[in-house]
Amino acid sequence: MNYTINQLRVFLKVIETESITKASEELFMTQPAVSIQLKNFQNQFKFPLTEIVGRQLYVTEFGYEVAEIAKRIFDELEALKYKTKEYEGIYTGRLRISVASTGKYVIPYFLTGFLDAHKGIDLSLDVTNKSKVVESLKNNELDFAVVSVLPEEVEVEEVFLIENKLYMVGNPENHSKNKTLIYREEGSATRRVMEQYFDKKGSKRKQIELTSNEAVKQAVIAGIGHSILPLIGIKSELIEGSLKIIRKRDLPLKTDWRLIWLKDKKLSPVANAYLDYVRKEKIKIQEKFFKWYLDFE
């Protein structure tokens, strides 16, 4: 077997996009060049990696298994890339973290000191909804994830970062009792908590669904309706007066922001170093950056 690194790279991109056209665009290659590399790689196996049905490219089961091995090869190549600097006593490599949407207001403060101390580390930080975070975690594509509700479908280990307080908010000039409820999309942890709260209340109010916390926030500011939002993401709006907290006896709702990783995962030296940093520094980080938040009632 005599494959090249470039063939592996092309093959993985085709698997990821399920399209030679899209793969060629993302690799900045011509379609014929991608097809040739894919064919040369395929010729080294007795079983098909992909198949064309109609005009659609499909990945075979064998193709997915080869792709998993190829990903591990690239992980090892990444480790090899930074090995020399490791011998010089410098932490280098890539730290991969995926964050559930509102976690973007939390995780930067738990990263800045670590990255300042280790200039050779590359950070890959993806901000998305909880469902996609958990999917990436299950596929072992991450070192860590940041979530406010623990996933049920995968075993993880965790470190507590900070409490997540969720309040009902409305437009200061327009917050009548029966306003429309504005929810996040399915798969959002904030939506799940909000649904549980209003299900207990037996609420019959009209509902709107939006796909990001920012969209929900802007809709509330515009007076379209009420929502329950994490306090950590609305500090500026509360200060400037564009949002008002609607006080309820059984609010705020509370969850916890956690740094999680797959149980029994073998962490890289960079990931282990970051975990040690968080465990040692999190109290100082909370006191330095989140005192206003921790004191808010």
Side-chain angles (χ1 to χ4, degrees):
M1 190 168 287
N2 188 27
Y3 57 80
T4 67
I5 297 302
N6 192 45
Q7 286 171 359
L8 284 176
R9 184 175 288 108
V10 169
F11 170 64
L12 283 177
K13 185 58 68 175
V14 171
I15 297 298
E16 176 188 329
T17 60
E18 295 188 347
S19 166
I20 289 175
T21 300
K22 291 179 182 178
S24 65
E25 291 172 354
E26 295 189 19
L27 292 168
F28 300 100
M29 296 172 63
T30 65
Q31 290 185 40
V34 169
S35 296
I36 290 170
Q37 292 292 336
L38 183 61
K39 181 180 179 181
N40 289 341
F41 188 59
Q42 172 66 80
N43 287 341
Q44 299 180 71
F45 300 95
K46 293 181 180 180
F47 306 102
L49 302 169
T50 61
E51 56 187 4
I52 304 293
V53 179
R55 298 175 62 86
Q56 178 65 43
L57 182 144
Y58 294 92
V59 184
T60 66
E61 182 178 350
F62 180 67
Y64 279 120
E65 292 183 6
V66 172
E68 287 302 313
I69 295 171
K71 288 176 185 176
R72 292 199 293 272
I73 290 172
F74 275 99
D75 287 341
E76 292 301 316
L77 288 172
E78 188 78 7
L80 183 62
K81 174 181 174 183
Y82 296 107
K83 183 55 67 177
T84 301
K85 289 187 177 180
E86 265 186 43
Y87 269 82
E88 294 171 351
I90 303 170
Y91 275 116
T92 61
R94 185 175 299 277
L95 183 63
R96 301 166 299 175
I97 303 177
S98 187
V99 183
S101 299
T102 313
K104 67 185 178 185
Y105 298 105
V106 175
I107 193 61
Y109 300 100
F110 288 88
L111 281 166
T112 182
F114 180 74
L115 295 176
D116 282 347
H118 305 290
K119 302 294 188 182
I121 291 175
D122 297 327
L123 173 66
S124 174
L125 182 63
D126 180 42
V127 180
T128 184
N129 68 27
K130 188 198 171 194
S131 294
K132 292 180 180 177
V133 169
V134 174
E135 189 64 27
S136 295
L137 191 69
K138 286 168 62 178
N139 292 336
N140 199 25
E141 297 169 354
L142 309 170
D143 295 308
F144 300 105
V146 178
V147 297
S148 59
V149 176
L150 288 175
E152 298 174 354
E153 58 269 50
V154 59
E155 288 190 276
V156 299
E157 297 185 63
E158 62 172 289
V159 170
F160 168 79
L161 297 179
I162 194 168
E163 187 177 61
N164 184 33
K165 307 176 187 178
L166 299 102
Y167 287 86
M168 185 180 292
V169 294
N171 180 307
E173 299 177 1
N174 185 8
H175 54 278
S176 62
K177 290 184 178 180
N178 296 310
K179 292 291 290 183
T180 296
L181 294 176
I182 306 173
Y183 284 83
R184 284 285 306 280
E185 77 285 3
E186 290 285 353
S188 161
T190 301
R191 179 190 178 111
R192 177 180 172 184
V193 171
M194 187 172 168
E195 282 181 332
Q196 290 171 345
Y197 174 78
F198 282 110
D199 284 348
K200 289 179 181 178
K201 297 290 183 183
S203 175
K204 303 293 184 181
R205 289 198 246 174
K206 180 181 176 183
Q207 299 179 8
I208 294 175
E209 179 180 299
L210 300 176
T211 57
S212 71
N213 265 25
E214 188 60 34
V216 172
K217 187 162 56 176
Q218 293 304 319
V220 175
I221 290 171
I224 292 174
H226 293 162
S227 189
I228 290 180
L229 288 173
L231 175 66
I232 201 105
I234 58 173
K235 178 183 179 182
S236 297
E237 289 76 14
L238 292 175
I239 291 173
E240 68 187 24
S242 58
L243 283 180
K244 174 184 176 65
I245 287 180
I246 302 171
R247 297 288 181 176
K248 298 286 184 181
R249 185 176 57 185
D250 45 1
L251 291 175
L253 304 175
K254 294 182 180 181
T255 59
D256 294 320
W257 285 110
R258 302 171 172 98
L259 186 75
I260 65 172
W261 63 99
L262 284 177
K263 187 175 182 180
D264 300 324
K265 178 179 175 64
K266 184 179 179 181
L267 295 175
S268 69
V270 167
N272 265 318
Y274 179 62
L275 190 57
D276 287 343
Y277 168 81
V278 170
R279 284 170 168 159
K280 291 175 183 175
E281 300 295 326
K282 68 177 183 178
I283 301 301
K284 293 179 184 176
I285 293 169
Q286 291 170 3
E287 292 173 350
K288 180 176 181 180
F289 296 109
F290 297 100
K291 190 174 188 309
W292 73 271
Y293 176 77
L294 296 172
D295 293 343
F296 190 93
E297 294 294 341

